[in-house]
C-alpha cells in the first residue's frame, strides 16, 4: 500500500466531534467526489465513489450523523479505475431537502459545481476538517524516503485557487501548476508538508514522516562532514607536498644553516612530519605555537624561499 493510501485511511477513521467540523469535511468530500443522479422515476440520488472502504464508510457515517440520511454502500466493478473494485455510497435525496445548499454545494442538473463554501470555514477547526476531506478525496504524498512532494489534484481552476487560499489562511503557502488536463496544488518543502500533516491530524503519518526526515537529515549531515573533512585533508596533503618540495629545494641552495633561525625548526619539522597538520606541528615547536602562529611562520618561510630561489634562478640565467 502506498504512503498516500496509508494517510487517507488514517484520516478516514477520524470523525470530528463538532457538527460544524463534520459539515465542513463532508462539504469537501462531496464537492470533490459526488455526483447527482436522477432515476427514471424522478428520484434523485447523491452518489460518491471511493477506491477504499474506509473513506466510503466515513462518508456514510457523516451523512448519517450530520443530516440523518441513510445511505446504501455497495461494491461495483469499474474497468476505468485502476482498481477494479469500487465502493459506491448511494444516498436518496428527499425532495426539497436543503442539506446540499447548507453544505454550500450547488448542483447544476446532475453535476455538482466545485467551489469552496467559505461560510463553513469561519473557524480554524473547520478549515482543518475541510483540508482533511480534500486530501482524502484528491490528495497525494510521496514517501518521505524519496523526494518531498505533496499535491492535491483539481480539475477546476476556481477550486484550485480557493484551496490555495484556505492553505494560506492556515499558514501554508502552496503553488499551482498544470499537468495535462488537471491543476496541481502542491508543496515541496518538507517543513510545510509536516505542518500540513499536523493540521489535518494525521498523527501516525506525521510521526513516520518525521522519523524518516530526521534519519535523512542525519545522513546528509554526516555526508557533508565527511566530504568537508576529505576536502580539508586533500588541501592539507597538497600543501604539505608543496611545502616539503620547496624546503628541500631551498636547503639544496643555501643549506640548513642558511635558513633564518626562527624558520629553521619549522622547516625541519615539516620535512620530518609531512603528514601532520599545522596545529600538530605547532605543538612540536619549542615554545609551542598556535595553528595561526604556525601558518604565519610558514607563510614567511614560503616568501623567503620564493625570494631566494628566484634570486638563484636569475643568477643562473645570467
Amino acid at each position: 500500500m502506498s504512503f498516500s493510501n496509508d494517510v487517507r485511511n488514517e484520516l478516514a477513521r477520524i470523525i470530528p466531534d463538532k457538527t460544524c467540523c463534520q459539515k465542513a469535511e463532508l462539504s469537501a468530500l462531496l464537492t470533490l467526489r459526488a455526483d447527482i443522479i436522477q432515476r427514471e422515476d424522478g428520484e434523485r440520488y447523491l452518489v460518491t465513489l471511493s477506491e477504499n472502504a474506509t473513506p466510503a464508510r466515513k462518508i456514510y457515517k457523516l451523512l448519517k450523523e450530520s443530516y440523518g440520511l441513510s445511505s446504501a454502500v455497495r461494491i461495483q466493478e469499474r474497468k476505468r479505475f485502476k482498481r477494479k473494485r469500487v465502493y459506491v455510497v448511494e444516498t436518496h435525496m428527499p425532495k426539497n431537502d436543503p442539506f446540499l445548499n447548507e453544505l454550500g454545494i450547488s448542483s447544476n442538473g446532475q453535476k455538482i459545481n466545485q467551489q469552496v463554501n467559505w461560510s463553513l470555514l469561519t473557524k480554524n477547526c473547520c478549515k482543518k476538517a475541510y483540508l482533511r476531506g480534500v486530501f482524502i478525496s484528491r490528495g497525494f504524498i510521496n514517501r518521505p524516503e524519496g523526494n518531498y512532494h505533496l499535491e492535491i489534484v483539481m480539475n477546476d481552476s476556481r477550486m484550485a485557487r480557493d484551496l490555495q487560499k484556505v492553505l494560506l489562511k492556515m499558514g501554508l503557502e502552496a503553488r499551482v501548476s498544470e499537468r495535462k488536463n488537471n491543476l496541481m496544488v502542491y508543496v515541496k518543502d518538507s517543513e510545510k508538508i509536516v505542518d500540513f500533516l499536523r493540521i489535518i491530524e494525521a498523527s501516525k503519518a506525521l510521526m513516520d514522516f518525521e522519523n524518516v526526515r530526521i534519519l535523512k537529515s542525519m545522513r546528509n549531515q554526516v555526508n557533508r562532514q565527511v566530504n568537508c573533512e576529505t576536502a580539508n585533508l586533500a588541501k592539507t596533503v597538497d600543501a604539505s607536498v608543496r611545502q616539503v618540495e620547496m624546503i628541500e629545494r631551498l636547503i639544496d641552495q643555501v643549506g640548513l644553516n642558511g635558513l633564518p633561525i626562527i624558520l629553521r625548526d619549522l622547516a625541519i619539522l615539516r620535512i620530518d612530519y609531512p603528514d601532520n597538520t599545522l596545529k600538530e606541528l605547532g605543538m612540536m615547536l619549542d615554545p609551542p605555537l598556535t595553528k595561526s602562529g604556525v601558518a604565519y611562520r610558514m607563510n614567511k618561510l614560503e616568501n623567503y624561499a620564493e625570494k631566494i630561489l628566484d634570486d638563484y634562478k636569475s643568477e643562473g640565467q645570467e
Side-chain angles (χ1 to χ4, degrees):
M1 185 178 291
S2 71
F3 188 64
S4 294
N5 283 333
D6 291 341
V7 178
R8 275 192 288 270
N9 285 333
E10 179 183 357
L11 297 178
R13 292 183 176 90
I14 300 173
I15 302 297
D17 295 327
K18 299 178 180 179
T19 303
C20 60
C21 296
Q22 291 180 6
K23 291 181 178 181
E25 186 167 353
L26 187 58
S27 173
L29 290 167
L30 298 182
T31 298
L32 297 173
R33 300 192 73 93
D35 283 311
I36 304 293
I37 295 178
Q38 186 167 342
R39 300 283 170 78
E40 294 179 357
D41 58 4
E43 295 294 327
R44 295 200 308 166
Y45 290 82
L46 181 71
V47 179
T48 58
L49 305 179
S50 174
E51 293 82 6
N52 297 311
T54 312
R57 192 180 303 118
K58 181 168 195 174
I59 294 170
Y60 175 92
K61 191 168 185 178
L62 288 176
L63 285 169
K64 180 75 172 178
E65 292 190 4
S66 300
Y67 293 98
L69 295 173
S70 296
S71 306
V73 181
R74 55 189 173 83
I75 299 174
Q76 194 175 73
E77 300 295 328
R78 290 288 183 92
K79 294 182 179 180
R80 65 188 181 92
F81 284 87
K82 292 182 180 179
R83 295 189 177 189
K84 292 183 178 180
R85 177 172 290 183
V86 179
Y87 296 87
V88 182
V89 182
E90 197 170 271
T91 308
H92 177 253
M93 296 175 58
K95 293 181 179 180
N96 303 319
D97 193 309
F99 94 94
L100 282 182
N101 290 331
E102 187 178 343
L103 291 177
I105 302 173
S106 58
S107 59
N108 182 12
Q110 294 182 1
K111 182 69 175 178
I112 293 179
N113 295 334
Q114 293 190 1
Q115 58 187 33
V116 173
N117 180 17
W118 294 101
S119 65
L120 292 175
L121 308 183
T122 56
K123 302 176 184 177
N124 279 344
C125 60
C126 297
K127 294 185 184 74
K128 292 179 180 180
Y130 187 85
L131 291 174
R132 186 162 54 240
V134 167
F135 187 87
I136 292 173
S137 300
R138 299 287 181 87
F140 171 84
I141 183 172
N142 272 354
R143 285 196 172 275
E145 291 86 353
N147 296 327
Y148 298 124
H149 184 78
L150 164 73
E151 71 179 27
I152 298 168
V153 183
M154 295 289 174
N155 52 22
D156 182 87
S157 59
R158 178 181 175 182
M159 188 69 182
R161 289 194 302 270
D162 283 352
L163 176 60
Q164 200 176 15
K165 292 176 183 177
V166 176
L167 289 168
L168 193 58
K169 287 180 181 293
M170 298 302 295
L172 295 176
E173 186 176 352
R175 297 185 177 183
V176 178
S177 66
E178 188 173 351
R179 185 190 302 162
K180 295 183 179 178
N181 295 324
N182 293 317
L183 294 170
M184 307 292 164
V185 181
Y186 69 93
V187 175
K188 287 184 176 291
D189 183 81
S190 62
E191 291 285 350
K192 293 179 182 178
I193 294 175
V194 166
D195 289 341
F196 181 83
L197 292 174
R198 185 180 296 110
I199 287 170
I200 62 176
E201 300 177 342
S203 303
K204 183 180 182 304
L206 173 60
M207 187 178 299
D208 294 341
F209 193 93
E210 281 284 57
N211 286 340
V212 174
R213 194 166 72 111
I214 290 170
L215 288 174
K216 285 175 68 176
S217 177
M218 291 177 61
R219 191 180 298 116
N220 291 337
Q221 186 175 352
V222 169
N223 288 338
R224 283 194 299 269
Q225 187 173 351
V226 169
N227 292 338
C228 182
E229 291 177 354
T230 301
N232 289 337
L233 180 61
K235 289 180 181 178
T236 299
V237 171
D238 291 342
S240 175
V241 170
R242 177 177 53 78
Q243 290 162 0
V244 168
E245 182 181 332
M246 172 204 67
I247 293 169
E248 289 177 344
R249 288 172 57 205
L250 179 61
I251 292 175
D252 287 343
Q253 294 295 335
V254 301
L256 186 59
N257 293 331
L259 299 180
I261 296 176
I262 194 173
L263 303 178
R264 191 179 303 161
D265 290 344
L266 180 58
I268 293 171
L269 286 173
R270 174 43 85 200
I271 292 175
D272 291 343
Y273 301 97
D275 297 331
N276 286 34
T277 64
L278 294 182
K279 183 179 180 180
E280 292 169 339
L281 294 179
M283 295 174 64
M284 297 178 187
L285 290 170
D286 186 19
L289 283 179
T290 62
K291 178 182 177 181
S292 59
V294 177
Y296 175 76
R297 192 170 292 185
M298 183 65 74
N299 188 52
K300 288 188 66 174
L301 177 59
E302 291 182 5
N303 290 336
Y304 176 79
E306 185 177 353
K307 182 178 181 302
I308 295 298
L309 294 175
D310 285 348
D311 291 344
Y312 273 93
K313 185 177 180 180
S314 299
E315 290 176 2
Q317 289 178 351
E318 292 177 358

